[in-house]
Structure formats: structure tokens, C-alpha cells
Amino acid sequence: MYCIEKRVYLRRLGWLASGISLVLLVTRVDALQHASSSSRNAYRVRVSQEILEGLQSSSSSANANTDTGTSSSTSHLLDLETDFYDDSTGLYSEGVWHNCMAGIAGLRVHRVNQNQHLYDDAIRIADSLFRYSWDGTSFRRRIWSGNWDHSRLQLPDTDIVQANYYKESPEHRCVQHAIALVFWSILAQQDDNNVKENSSKIRSQQSTIAKQFVDEFWNGHRWTTISRTQGYGTLLRPSASSGATTRTTESSSTNTTYYRAVDQALAVLACLQHLQLLDSKENESENKDEMDRIIHLIQTTCNDLLDDKDGFGYNNLPNSQTYLGLNRNRNFWHEGFVMLALTSAREYIWPMDTQAGSLKMLWNGLMERYTTTDTSTTTGKENDNAGTTIWHWALSEKDIEYNVRYCGDNALAYAIRRNMQCNNIDDNDEDSFWTFIDILRSKNKSNSNTNQLASVADAYPQVRLHPNTELAALLVWPP
């Protein structure tokens, strides 16, 4: 093992370190450069497990009265922003998205190393989500549970960043129901002896979640942002981050339904995972009609994403849209999931395109939009590995000085590259990804946390839940 010294020019909010030598342990990156596929797979599985363990250990000292799931003293309550895991419920905070991401990561790692506690953790997540968040129709976006301290949310001048995220919300959201369907479908596929005790319950829940997903979010043409029961999602819908009503133009009707490309993409990924479960069941002939229906939904949704006349327009990337019925700037998180969905569903869209030519063209277009080969910004500041890491906003719209590289965006790009299986994927891209993740994790070293968690982004050094659950999951899923 050895280390080399790299000069990394980091940017605002404590990251600007021009002229400062940052010693990075790059043995992992160097080893990966010429490593075999099996070695790379083993490494990403190990990092995923490290992240999960780090999230759990972050709250170990704060858990109390885990037998009852309550705490008699506010001193034992968990901090909403910095305590990521509640041992009394097995939940990673109180939202659906992050818990399903953590559950997916744990199950994929369990499949590789047969670590039983990871499967047990996934069962606890499923039990708690179905107990607290499922209301018989869909999953509520956020329901308070366990030992978290919500008192700061009641303060008019709360210091919690984007406090609205942590408030209770009964809203049914497509992306959350979709990722829950992915999680339950993977959980229902487990077939070792330890799983059979839970098989009947999990499969029954999965079947209900799958049925309700189509019933509530598919309107016959595309997937809606909010459930049918709650009105599909119009411009009156409040923002999840601020609570304010969605911005409209003077000519827009507030009753207008809008659609998001990311909802279509997550729906495709959910349907693909559900289809995989149906294909694995013993009575495949009895599942044929349902499989045909799900394949039709996948194809219809992908065609809508690609349609450059009446759909989202990804056949013509420069003019594609991430929203229909609402004018919003495009960003990589939305477009990355579109790319991941199309990549994962390619056999149903381009069955004859064995060289993945259409995917390569789309991916190259996204890389032109969200990466740069320049080593300096318009202000002359240098930045590390700018050409092979992903910026959140298109560089034609926001210069590097005003842009940001998120952990989640880069984890998403890594998952796309891993699933494309194209000959033109450069090993340097993977090396740059791991260097970037090492930087995000190296900022958070402490004696009490040996499994280092990632910060939100290069520009935001705060350690939060969402970059870590997305990183843990996207390192090992899909497939």
C-alpha cells in the first residue's frame, strides 16, 4: 500500500484549497485501474456495505428504549439532520425513498456475501415502512415514527436546512412508490432457507404494492407525479423542499396536470424489477398475461420518453424536456434516471441494436452537456477531474463557478456506465469516480467513524442521509 500526493483545487464553502496539497490514499483507485471485473465488483460491494454500516453507527449512541420504540427523555431523541438510523424501527430517517435505497443496497450486498444481518435489516425496513407509511393506497411521503426529535421543526426560525422535507406529509409520490416496488420485488425474490419464513407475507405485500402502483399512477398514457386518489399532481402541489405552491406563469392554469421524466424513468425501473420477479416464479405460464401487460407498460413509457413530438423528446436530446406542462430547468438527476431506465430496458426498445448505438449517442450527448474537458473556469480557477465527473446543471447554462457536483449525480452516472456495457466506457471514468467519492468521504474522517460517509457535494461538505443511501444503492443496483 502506498499513497501519492495530489494537488486538488477545491471550491467554495471550505473546499477552496488552491495551493494546498491534499494527500489522498489512492491505492484503491490505482488498483482498480487494471483490476479484473470481479475485483471491481467486490470493491463496490464492500464500499456499499461500509456506507450502510457507517449510517447505522452514526446514531448508535443516541438510541434508547428500543424495546418500545419510544424515549422518555428528549436527550435520547435522535437529531433529524445528523442521526441517520433508528435501531428501534430499523429505519434510516422517516422517508420512503432513503429507506428503500438502503434496503436495496443491503439486499444486493447480501446476495453476494450472504451476510444474514443485511437481510434481517431489509426485513425490518419493510416491516416498519408497511406499518408506518403504507395507508392502503400508497406510501405516504413522510410519517413521523421511532425516536427522532421533531421539536426544532415547530420553531418559526428553525435552523434545519430545508425543514419542509422533515415535516409529516401524507402525499403519495410516484418516485417513492416506484422505488418501494423495486425494494419489495428484490426482497420477494430471495429464496434461501432464511427467507422462506417471510416469503408469504413479503410476496403478498409486493403484489399489493405492484397493483396499487399501476392503479394509482398510470393514467393510460403516462405516469403521474401524485396518485390518482390525490389528484395526480397539478400546479397547486406544494414543493417538497419549501412547501410553497409550484411556480406558474400568468397564462398557466393552476389545475393543469404536469408530468416529470423522472417519474416515467422510475416507473420503468420498478416495472422491470417486478417483471424479473414474475419471471422467476414457478408458475410462469400463469404469469404470462401480467408479464405481457408489464412489458407493454415499459415499452409505452420508454417510447414516450423518446418521442420528440408529443413526449419528453429524448430522441432529440438538445430539445428534450424533463417536465411537460411546467417550465423547469433540466438537471442530471432527472436526466440520469431517464438514461438509466432506457439502458436497463434496452432489450424492449432496441432489440436489434446489439451494439447499443442509440444508447451511446444519448450518453455521449449527456456527457457533452454535463461534463467538460476544460481545466479552468471563466474566472480562471482550476478544478480537479472536471472532465470526468458530473455537474448537476448543464455547463452551457451554469458555469463551473456556479455549478455543483453532487454525490448522488455521480453515483447515478456510475450505475449507468456499469449497465451500458459499451466498449467505449473508459477506465479513466471509473477511476475519476472513485477519486471523487474518496474526496467526499475523506472530508469526514473521525476517530469514531471508521466507515466514512460521503458529504452532499464538492460544494456542500455537510454529511446527510440522501447522498449516502443513493451511493450505497447505485453501487450495486441495477441490475
Side-chain angles (χ1 to χ4, degrees):
M1 181 177 292
Y2 62 96
C3 65
I4 65 172
E5 185 173 272
K6 282 190 175 181
R7 186 171 299 274
V8 181
Y9 294 89
L10 301 172
R11 302 180 299 119
R12 48 203 163 97
L13 294 178
W15 285 74
L16 186 59
S18 180
I20 300 175
S21 296
L22 177 63
V23 177
L24 298 175
L25 294 177
V26 296
T27 304
R28 288 170 290 179
V29 175
D30 290 344
L32 282 168
Q33 187 169 3
H34 301 291
S36 65
S37 175
S38 60
S39 297
R40 293 181 182 223
N41 289 340
Y43 181 69
R44 61 186 174 88
V45 168
R46 190 173 86 233
V47 173
S48 181
Q49 184 170 348
E50 287 178 2
I51 294 295
L52 293 178
E53 291 172 351
L55 290 171
Q56 290 191 8
S57 67
S58 71
S59 302
S60 59
S61 63
N63 283 275
N65 299 326
T66 56
D67 291 338
T68 62
T70 60
S71 179
S72 59
S73 169
T74 57
S75 64
H76 292 149
L77 294 177
L78 302 173
D79 185 276
L80 281 172
E81 291 185 290
T82 59
D83 288 329
F84 304 126
Y85 181 76
D86 178 15
D87 190 56
S88 74
T89 59
L91 292 176
Y92 296 81
S93 194
E94 299 163 310
V96 176
W97 175 268
H98 307 313
N99 277 290
C100 290
M101 281 290 187
I104 290 166
L107 289 172
R108 303 303 277 187
V109 174
H110 164 70
R111 187 182 68 166
V112 174
N113 62 21
Q114 296 300 303
N115 191 325
Q116 183 60 31
H117 85 79
L118 291 172
Y119 168 74
D120 294 339
D121 288 347
I123 287 292
R124 292 194 70 204
I125 291 173
D127 286 344
S128 290
L129 283 179
F130 216 76
R131 174 185 176 186
Y132 293 113
S133 298
W134 181 256
D135 64 5
T137 300
S138 182
F139 289 93
R140 293 170 287 184
R141 182 171 68 82
R142 192 179 188 94
I143 295 298
W144 290 352
S145 55
N147 289 330
W148 273 280
D149 181 7
H150 305 103
S151 61
R152 289 165 61 202
L153 289 173
Q154 316 304 324
L155 301 175
D157 56 346
T158 180
D159 60 348
I160 295 178
V161 178
Q162 292 185 320
N164 200 67
Y165 272 127
Y166 299 96
K167 294 179 180 179
E168 282 195 298
S169 170
E171 186 178 59
H172 302 151
R173 300 187 71 191
C174 182
V175 291
Q176 293 187 324
H177 198 130
I179 204 66
L181 180 54
V182 171
F183 171 47
W184 256 269
S185 298
I186 295 174
L187 189 56
Q189 273 190 273
Q190 301 290 342
D191 58 2
D192 60 48
N193 293 331
N194 294 318
V195 177
K196 290 180 180 177
E197 302 171 9
N198 303 288
S199 178
S200 177
K201 177 183 70 174
I202 293 299
R203 290 205 172 208
S204 175
Q205 291 174 349
Q206 190 278 341
S207 179
T208 299
I209 292 167
K211 178 182 182 302
Q212 289 298 112
F213 183 53
V214 178
D215 287 352
E216 287 294 322
F217 295 96
W218 177 250
N219 69 359
H221 181 52
R222 57 174 60 104
W223 302 87
T224 60
T225 299
I226 305 300
S227 69
R228 173 181 55 84
T229 300
Q230 294 183 347
Y232 293 125
T234 69
L235 298 181
L236 289 172
R237 174 183 173 262
S239 165
S241 58
S242 68
T245 301
T246 302
R247 292 194 303 268
T248 65
T249 62
E250 292 182 1
S251 60
S252 298
S253 169
T254 55
N255 291 321
T256 300
T257 299
Y258 67 89
Y259 302 92
R260 305 191 309 168
V262 71
D263 293 318
Q264 319 309 308
L266 264 297
V268 168
L269 292 170
C271 287
L272 286 168
Q273 203 70 58
H274 177 50
L275 183 64
Q276 190 177 115
L277 174 63
L278 292 173
D279 194 41
S280 70
K281 290 184 177 180
E282 294 179 359
N283 300 321
E284 184 178 338
S285 59
E286 297 180 9
N287 298 324
K288 186 178 184 305
D289 288 345
E290 175 66 2
M291 291 174 66
D292 289 344
R293 183 175 77 112
I294 297 301
I295 290 172
H296 176 71
L297 288 174
I298 292 169
Q299 292 174 328
T300 301
T301 305
C302 289
N303 288 333
D304 187 39
L305 284 169
L306 292 166
D307 184 358
D308 54 5
K309 182 180 180 182
D310 299 314
F312 291 88
Y314 279 89
N315 271 329
N316 182 16
L317 182 62
N319 296 320
S320 60
Q321 304 173 78
T322 52
Y323 284 78
L324 297 180
L326 181 63
N327 185 23
R328 285 285 177 87
N329 290 334
R330 296 157 61 182
N331 63 61
F332 186 81
W333 193 82
H334 283 241
E335 301 206 288
F337 270 112
V338 170
M339 184 71 201
L340 185 60
L342 295 174
T343 299
S344 300
R346 59 188 178 274
E347 66 178 288
Y348 301 106
I349 316 169
W350 304 291
M352 305 303 293
D353 188 6
T354 58
Q355 299 301 311
S358 299
L359 282 173
K360 289 179 185 178
M361 288 179 61
L362 180 55
W363 181 243
N364 289 339
L366 288 175
M367 289 301 93
E368 289 179 9
R369 183 173 174 83
Y370 292 103
T371 66
T372 178
T373 56
D374 293 336
T375 58
S376 62
T377 69
T378 56
T379 59
K381 293 183 179 179
E382 295 183 54
N383 57 89
D384 55 298
N385 294 321
T388 50
T389 47
I390 306 297
W391 297 89
H392 185 63
W393 306 105
L395 291 164
S396 60
E397 298 170 3
K398 287 194 178 184
D399 185 76
I400 289 174
E401 183 68 16
Y402 303 100
N403 218 318
V404 59
R405 288 178 294 179
Y406 284 108
C407 177
D409 286 344
N410 281 274
L412 183 53
Y414 176 78
I416 295 167
R417 291 187 182 108
R418 195 178 71 248
N419 281 274
M420 281 182 66
Q421 299 177 343
C422 295
N423 294 329
N424 67 335
I425 295 179
D426 194 337
D427 283 346
N428 290 332
D429 290 339
E430 180 156 343
D431 298 338
S432 296
F433 166 73
W434 286 114
T435 298
F436 180 68
I437 296 302
D438 279 347
I439 291 172
L440 296 186
R441 297 178 76 194
S442 69
K443 281 293 175 183
N444 309 302
K445 290 182 177 177
S446 66
N447 293 330
S448 61
N449 183 12
T450 56
N451 298 310
Q452 298 307 314
L453 299 176
S455 57
V456 175
D458 59 348
Y460 303 115
Q462 301 91 339
V463 177
R464 292 294 181 262
L465 181 63
H466 63 275
N468 286 284
T469 54
E470 291 181 11
L471 175 61
L474 291 168
L475 286 176
V476 291
W477 170 85

